[in-house]
Amino acid sequence: MIINRKPTKTIHIGHVKVGGDNPIVVQSMTNTKTQNIAETVSQIQRLESAGCEIIRVAVPHMEAAIAIPKIKEQIHIPLIADIHFDYKLAIAAAEHGADAIRINPGNIGDMASIQKVVQVASQNKMAIRIGVNSGSVESDLLKKYGGPTSQAMVESALRHIQLMHSLDFDNFKISIKASDVQRTLDAYRLISEQTNAPLHIGVTEAGTLISGTVKSALGIGMLLAEGIGDTLRVSLTRDPEDEIRVAYEILRALNIKRRGPEIISCPTCGRTAIPLFEIVESVEKRLQHITKDIKVAIMGCVVNGPGEAREADIGIAGGDGTGILFKKGKVVKKIPEEHLIDILIEAIESDT
Ligand code: SF4
């Protein structure tokens, strides 16, 4: 599938370029108390290893803003400060070295406060993410459209875009998320026709691992397939590392970006001769440090497994106490069942 990206302007979030022809950027958000520097840094470092390219942290008070420089010293990816309501926190985050801030101008306050934030962002060459979501649409628009419809969200975003332009500021990107897929799709499709600002896409508060993954795969996946989106966050009620894994699976499924092993495993059936679910989970965990794009098959029986997983670079299949290691559908050797996982991991590690 060939995807034609909708043209957008390039902005810089720290050293990462977002928009234009630049690769789609994967983001997440910490769930630690930002002022707890050790825990926040440790989570960000784990996220970096998982492939996170930009991190957002909550800045609900001054203590969190003041922690930013100490956090930044110990991480390697740009940091976005997430601000709600208090423009002074946005200014403090900028002055403490945040690479960008995420605000919703609608809840930052009056024009004078927004102007101060934009001025500091300009002085610090810092980008702003204007984050509109269905819960933050202004009351007059809710009245006009009868609720937080996609049109209401788009009109709210356009107001903010105009406001930024009136302040002669264009170093911003837009997000316009709802928690249901259809409204998110409609809103992004509409806004992408009306701005060339880079778009940060996602389905907000998507939910638990399964439901959130499905909603995100559909919402983010459909937008990406239509060429919409320059950076993304999968939003799950889970450890943020899972958000990164799901994000890369979406990008891989669309052939946009491939990172780390792709596990191909059979659904199991009456012929399955090994504890496949446990084996797959264990292999997946043990391969998390591998960044090379490699297809790994884990199949339930030696009779059909290698043939069914012919496309895999390497794989194992189990059967009655013994299993096999195979490469590109051809058997390499027989292995006692208890060594299947170790031998597969060794073979992958020596290959990468
Ligand atoms: Fe069944 Fe074997 Fe196919 Fe797995 S690989 S679904 S065990 S036939």
Side-chain angles (χ1 to χ4, degrees), residues 110-154:
D110 56 20
M111 189 62 183
S113 309
I114 295 167
Q115 221 162 347
K116 281 182 197 152
V117 173
V118 171
Q119 206 175 2
V120 176
S122 266
Q123 282 160 1
N124 288 278
K125 296 199 175 8
M126 188 189 74
I128 294 180
R129 171 177 146 204
I130 298 170
V132 173
N133 59 43
S134 50
S136 68
V137 174
E138 297 91 323
S139 51
D140 64 313
L141 294 176
L142 293 176
K143 212 165 160 193
K144 178 174 170 188
Y145 290 99
T149 61
S150 51
Q151 289 94 336
M153 288 161 62
V154 169

Short mmCIF file of all heavy atoms in Angstrom, two decimals, residues 110-154:
data_model
loop_
_atom_site.label_atom_id
_atom_site.label_comp_id
_atom_site.label_asym_id
_atom_site.label_seq_id
_atom_site.Cartn_x
_atom_site.Cartn_y
_atom_site.Cartn_z
N ASP A 110 -7.36 34.15 29.75
CA ASP A 110 -7.65 35.27 28.86
C ASP A 110 -6.55 35.49 27.84
O ASP A 110 -5.48 34.88 27.89
CB ASP A 110 -7.87 36.55 29.70
CG ASP A 110 -6.67 36.84 30.59
OD1 ASP A 110 -5.58 36.33 30.30
OD2 ASP A 110 -6.83 37.57 31.58
N MET A 111 -6.83 36.39 26.93
CA MET A 111 -5.92 36.68 25.82
C MET A 111 -4.54 37.11 26.32
O MET A 111 -3.51 36.70 25.78
CB MET A 111 -6.57 37.78 24.97
CG MET A 111 -5.89 38.04 23.68
SD MET A 111 -5.90 36.59 22.63
CE MET A 111 -4.95 37.23 21.28
N ALA A 112 -4.52 37.92 27.38
CA ALA A 112 -3.24 38.43 27.88
C ALA A 112 -2.36 37.28 28.37
O ALA A 112 -1.15 37.25 28.13
CB ALA A 112 -3.50 39.42 29.00
N SER A 113 -2.98 36.28 29.02
CA SER A 113 -2.20 35.14 29.53
C SER A 113 -1.65 34.31 28.37
O SER A 113 -0.49 33.91 28.37
CB SER A 113 -3.08 34.23 30.40
OG SER A 113 -3.75 34.98 31.37
N ILE A 114 -2.50 34.08 27.37
CA ILE A 114 -2.06 33.28 26.21
C ILE A 114 -0.92 34.00 25.50
O ILE A 114 0.08 33.38 25.12
CB ILE A 114 -3.24 33.04 25.24
CG1 ILE A 114 -4.30 32.17 25.95
CG2 ILE A 114 -2.78 32.35 23.96
CD1 ILE A 114 -5.62 32.11 25.23
N GLN A 115 -1.06 35.31 25.39
CA GLN A 115 -0.03 36.11 24.73
C GLN A 115 1.32 35.95 25.45
O GLN A 115 2.35 35.78 24.81
CB GLN A 115 -0.45 37.58 24.78
CG GLN A 115 -0.15 38.26 23.48
CD GLN A 115 -0.95 39.56 23.36
OE1 GLN A 115 -1.89 39.81 24.12
NE2 GLN A 115 -0.58 40.37 22.42
N LYS A 116 1.28 35.95 26.78
CA LYS A 116 2.52 35.80 27.55
C LYS A 116 3.16 34.44 27.28
O LYS A 116 4.36 34.31 27.12
CB LYS A 116 2.23 35.94 29.05
CG LYS A 116 2.06 37.37 29.48
CD LYS A 116 1.81 37.43 30.98
CE LYS A 116 1.24 38.79 31.35
NZ LYS A 116 0.39 38.80 32.51
N VAL A 117 2.31 33.40 27.23
CA VAL A 117 2.83 32.05 26.98
C VAL A 117 3.49 31.98 25.59
O VAL A 117 4.60 31.47 25.44
CB VAL A 117 1.69 30.99 27.08
CG1 VAL A 117 2.18 29.61 26.66
CG2 VAL A 117 1.13 30.94 28.49
N VAL A 118 2.80 32.53 24.60
CA VAL A 118 3.31 32.47 23.22
C VAL A 118 4.61 33.27 23.12
O VAL A 118 5.57 32.84 22.46
CB VAL A 118 2.24 32.98 22.23
CG1 VAL A 118 2.82 33.14 20.83
CG2 VAL A 118 1.05 32.02 22.21
N GLN A 119 4.66 34.39 23.81
CA GLN A 119 5.88 35.21 23.79
C GLN A 119 7.07 34.43 24.36
O GLN A 119 8.15 34.41 23.77
CB GLN A 119 5.61 36.43 24.67
CG GLN A 119 6.45 37.62 24.30
CD GLN A 119 6.01 38.82 25.14
OE1 GLN A 119 5.13 38.74 26.02
NE2 GLN A 119 6.65 39.94 24.90
N VAL A 120 6.86 33.76 25.48
CA VAL A 120 7.95 32.98 26.09
C VAL A 120 8.33 31.80 25.18
O VAL A 120 9.51 31.48 25.02
CB VAL A 120 7.54 32.47 27.50
CG1 VAL A 120 8.62 31.60 28.10
CG2 VAL A 120 7.29 33.65 28.40
N ALA A 121 7.32 31.18 24.56
CA ALA A 121 7.62 30.07 23.63
C ALA A 121 8.48 30.58 22.48
O ALA A 121 9.47 29.95 22.09
CB ALA A 121 6.32 29.46 23.10
N SER A 122 8.14 31.75 21.94
CA SER A 122 8.92 32.35 20.86
C SER A 122 10.34 32.62 21.29
O SER A 122 11.29 32.25 20.60
CB SER A 122 8.30 33.69 20.47
OG SER A 122 7.42 33.54 19.44
N GLN A 123 10.48 33.25 22.44
CA GLN A 123 11.83 33.60 22.93
C GLN A 123 12.68 32.35 23.14
O GLN A 123 13.88 32.36 22.91
CB GLN A 123 11.73 34.33 24.29
CG GLN A 123 11.34 35.79 24.14
CD GLN A 123 10.79 36.34 25.46
OE1 GLN A 123 10.72 35.66 26.48
NE2 GLN A 123 10.39 37.60 25.42
N ASN A 124 12.04 31.27 23.58
CA ASN A 124 12.79 30.04 23.88
C ASN A 124 12.81 29.07 22.70
O ASN A 124 13.22 27.93 22.85
CB ASN A 124 12.19 29.34 25.11
CG ASN A 124 12.49 30.10 26.39
OD1 ASN A 124 13.56 29.98 26.96
ND2 ASN A 124 11.57 30.93 26.80
N LYS A 125 12.34 29.52 21.54
CA LYS A 125 12.26 28.67 20.33
C LYS A 125 11.59 27.34 20.67
O LYS A 125 12.08 26.26 20.33
CB LYS A 125 13.64 28.44 19.73
CG LYS A 125 14.30 29.69 19.22
CD LYS A 125 15.41 29.36 18.25
CE LYS A 125 16.08 30.54 17.60
NZ LYS A 125 15.78 31.86 18.01
N MET A 126 10.53 27.43 21.39
CA MET A 126 9.85 26.24 21.88
C MET A 126 8.52 26.05 21.15
O MET A 126 7.80 27.02 20.92
CB MET A 126 9.60 26.43 23.38
CG MET A 126 9.08 25.24 24.10
SD MET A 126 8.58 25.68 25.78
CE MET A 126 7.08 26.56 25.43
N ALA A 127 8.22 24.81 20.79
CA ALA A 127 6.97 24.55 20.08
C ALA A 127 5.81 24.43 21.07
O ALA A 127 6.00 24.21 22.27
CB ALA A 127 7.10 23.26 19.28
N ILE A 128 4.62 24.60 20.54
CA ILE A 128 3.41 24.41 21.35
C ILE A 128 2.55 23.35 20.66
O ILE A 128 2.41 23.37 19.44
CB ILE A 128 2.61 25.72 21.47
CG1 ILE A 128 3.42 26.77 22.27
CG2 ILE A 128 1.26 25.49 22.14
CD1 ILE A 128 2.71 28.11 22.47
N ARG A 129 2.03 22.44 21.46
CA ARG A 129 0.98 21.56 20.91
C ARG A 129 -0.34 22.10 21.41
O ARG A 129 -0.57 22.19 22.61
CB ARG A 129 1.16 20.12 21.38
CG ARG A 129 -0.04 19.27 20.99
CD ARG A 129 0.13 17.82 21.39
NE ARG A 129 -1.15 17.23 21.76
CZ ARG A 129 -1.28 16.20 22.55
NH1 ARG A 129 -0.23 15.61 23.07
NH2 ARG A 129 -2.48 15.72 22.84
N ILE A 130 -1.20 22.44 20.45
CA ILE A 130 -2.54 22.87 20.81
C ILE A 130 -3.39 21.60 20.88
O ILE A 130 -3.62 20.94 19.87
CB ILE A 130 -3.09 23.84 19.74
CG1 ILE A 130 -2.20 25.09 19.68
CG2 ILE A 130 -4.53 24.21 20.06
CD1 ILE A 130 -2.52 26.00 18.52
N GLY A 131 -3.81 21.29 22.08
CA GLY A 131 -4.53 20.02 22.26
C GLY A 131 -6.00 20.27 22.50
O GLY A 131 -6.42 20.62 23.59
N VAL A 132 -6.79 20.08 21.44
CA VAL A 132 -8.24 20.20 21.59
C VAL A 132 -8.76 18.78 21.81
O VAL A 132 -8.33 17.86 21.12
CB VAL A 132 -8.88 20.78 20.31
CG1 VAL A 132 -10.40 20.74 20.38
CG2 VAL A 132 -8.40 22.21 20.08
N ASN A 133 -9.63 18.59 22.78
CA ASN A 133 -10.32 17.30 22.82
C ASN A 133 -11.79 17.51 23.14
O ASN A 133 -12.21 18.63 23.45
CB ASN A 133 -9.63 16.30 23.76
CG ASN A 133 -9.54 16.78 25.17
OD1 ASN A 133 -10.50 17.34 25.68
ND2 ASN A 133 -8.39 16.58 25.80
N SER A 134 -12.53 16.41 23.02
CA SER A 134 -13.98 16.57 23.08
C SER A 134 -14.43 17.15 24.42
O SER A 134 -15.49 17.76 24.52
CB SER A 134 -14.68 15.24 22.81
OG SER A 134 -14.12 14.23 23.61
N GLY A 135 -13.61 17.00 25.47
CA GLY A 135 -13.99 17.50 26.78
C GLY A 135 -13.66 18.97 26.98
O GLY A 135 -14.00 19.55 28.01
N SER A 136 -12.96 19.57 26.03
CA SER A 136 -12.51 20.95 26.28
C SER A 136 -13.09 21.95 25.28
O SER A 136 -12.60 23.07 25.17
CB SER A 136 -10.98 21.00 26.22
OG SER A 136 -10.53 20.77 24.91
N VAL A 137 -14.13 21.55 24.57
CA VAL A 137 -14.73 22.46 23.58
C VAL A 137 -15.48 23.59 24.31
O VAL A 137 -16.18 23.34 25.30
CB VAL A 137 -15.69 21.67 22.64
CG1 VAL A 137 -16.43 22.61 21.70
CG2 VAL A 137 -14.91 20.64 21.84
N GLU A 138 -15.32 24.81 23.83
CA GLU A 138 -15.92 25.98 24.46
C GLU A 138 -17.45 25.87 24.50
O GLU A 138 -18.06 25.29 23.58
CB GLU A 138 -15.53 27.26 23.72
CG GLU A 138 -14.04 27.56 23.73
CD GLU A 138 -13.29 26.97 22.55
OE1 GLU A 138 -13.64 25.85 22.11
OE2 GLU A 138 -12.36 27.59 22.07
N SER A 139 -18.04 26.50 25.51
CA SER A 139 -19.49 26.33 25.71
C SER A 139 -20.31 26.88 24.53
O SER A 139 -21.34 26.30 24.17
CB SER A 139 -19.94 26.94 27.03
OG SER A 139 -19.45 28.24 27.11
N ASP A 140 -19.86 28.00 23.92
CA ASP A 140 -20.66 28.53 22.81
C ASP A 140 -20.68 27.53 21.63
O ASP A 140 -21.69 27.40 20.93
CB ASP A 140 -20.15 29.91 22.36
CG ASP A 140 -18.74 29.88 21.81
OD1 ASP A 140 -17.86 29.25 22.45
OD2 ASP A 140 -18.51 30.44 20.72
N LEU A 141 -19.58 26.81 21.46
CA LEU A 141 -19.55 25.83 20.35
C LEU A 141 -20.39 24.59 20.69
O LEU A 141 -21.03 23.99 19.82
CB LEU A 141 -18.10 25.43 20.04
CG LEU A 141 -17.22 26.55 19.48
CD1 LEU A 141 -15.78 26.08 19.30
CD2 LEU A 141 -17.78 27.05 18.14
N LEU A 142 -20.40 24.23 21.96
CA LEU A 142 -21.23 23.09 22.39
C LEU A 142 -22.70 23.43 22.09
O LEU A 142 -23.47 22.58 21.63
CB LEU A 142 -21.05 22.81 23.88
CG LEU A 142 -19.69 22.28 24.32
CD1 LEU A 142 -19.63 22.14 25.83
CD2 LEU A 142 -19.39 20.93 23.66
N LYS A 143 -23.05 24.68 22.35
CA LYS A 143 -24.42 25.13 22.13
C LYS A 143 -24.72 25.14 20.62
O LYS A 143 -25.74 24.63 20.16
CB LYS A 143 -24.58 26.55 22.70
CG LYS A 143 -25.95 26.84 23.23
CD LYS A 143 -25.88 28.09 24.08
CE LYS A 143 -27.28 28.66 24.21
NZ LYS A 143 -27.22 30.00 24.75
N LYS A 144 -23.78 25.70 19.87
CA LYS A 144 -23.99 25.84 18.42
C LYS A 144 -24.16 24.47 17.75
O LYS A 144 -24.99 24.29 16.87
CB LYS A 144 -22.78 26.58 17.83
CG LYS A 144 -22.82 26.75 16.32
CD LYS A 144 -21.66 27.63 15.85
CE LYS A 144 -21.52 27.61 14.34
NZ LYS A 144 -20.31 28.30 13.89
N TYR A 145 -23.35 23.50 18.16
CA TYR A 145 -23.36 22.20 17.48
C TYR A 145 -24.15 21.13 18.25
O TYR A 145 -24.21 19.98 17.82
CB TYR A 145 -21.93 21.71 17.23
CG TYR A 145 -21.21 22.55 16.19
CD1 TYR A 145 -20.34 23.56 16.56
CD2 TYR A 145 -21.43 22.34 14.83
CE1 TYR A 145 -19.68 24.33 15.61
CE2 TYR A 145 -20.79 23.12 13.87
CZ TYR A 145 -19.92 24.11 14.27
OH TYR A 145 -19.29 24.87 13.32
N GLY A 146 -24.68 21.50 19.41
CA GLY A 146 -25.47 20.54 20.19
C GLY A 146 -24.61 19.49 20.88
O GLY A 146 -25.06 18.38 21.17
N GLY A 147 -23.35 19.82 21.16
CA GLY A 147 -22.46 18.88 21.86
C GLY A 147 -21.07 18.92 21.24
O GLY A 147 -20.82 19.66 20.28
N PRO A 148 -20.16 18.11 21.79
CA PRO A 148 -18.77 18.14 21.29
C PRO A 148 -18.61 17.31 20.00
O PRO A 148 -17.91 16.31 19.97
CB PRO A 148 -17.97 17.54 22.45
CG PRO A 148 -18.93 16.63 23.13
CD PRO A 148 -20.30 17.19 22.94
N THR A 149 -19.29 17.74 18.96
CA THR A 149 -19.22 17.02 17.68
C THR A 149 -17.85 17.28 17.03
O THR A 149 -17.10 18.16 17.46
CB THR A 149 -20.31 17.55 16.72
OG1 THR A 149 -20.04 18.94 16.50
CG2 THR A 149 -21.70 17.39 17.29
N SER A 150 -17.60 16.54 15.96
CA SER A 150 -16.32 16.75 15.27
C SER A 150 -16.23 18.18 14.73
O SER A 150 -15.18 18.82 14.80
CB SER A 150 -16.15 15.72 14.15
OG SER A 150 -17.30 15.72 13.35
N GLN A 151 -17.38 18.71 14.25
CA GLN A 151 -17.36 20.10 13.72
C GLN A 151 -17.06 21.09 14.84
O GLN A 151 -16.33 22.06 14.63
CB GLN A 151 -18.71 20.47 13.08
CG GLN A 151 -18.99 19.76 11.78
CD GLN A 151 -19.81 18.50 12.00
OE1 GLN A 151 -19.80 17.92 13.09
NE2 GLN A 151 -20.51 18.07 10.98
N ALA A 152 -17.62 20.84 16.02
CA ALA A 152 -17.37 21.74 17.16
C ALA A 152 -15.88 21.71 17.51
O ALA A 152 -15.26 22.74 17.76
CB ALA A 152 -18.21 21.32 18.36
N MET A 153 -15.30 20.50 17.53
CA MET A 153 -13.88 20.39 17.86
C MET A 153 -13.02 21.10 16.82
O MET A 153 -12.05 21.80 17.15
CB MET A 153 -13.49 18.91 17.96
CG MET A 153 -14.03 18.24 19.21
SD MET A 153 -14.06 16.45 19.08
CE MET A 153 -12.36 16.08 18.89
N VAL A 154 -13.40 20.94 15.55
CA VAL A 154 -12.62 21.57 14.48
C VAL A 154 -12.72 23.09 14.57
O VAL A 154 -11.72 23.80 14.46
CB VAL A 154 -13.09 21.06 13.08
CG1 VAL A 154 -12.48 21.89 11.97
CG2 VAL A 154 -12.70 19.59 12.92
#
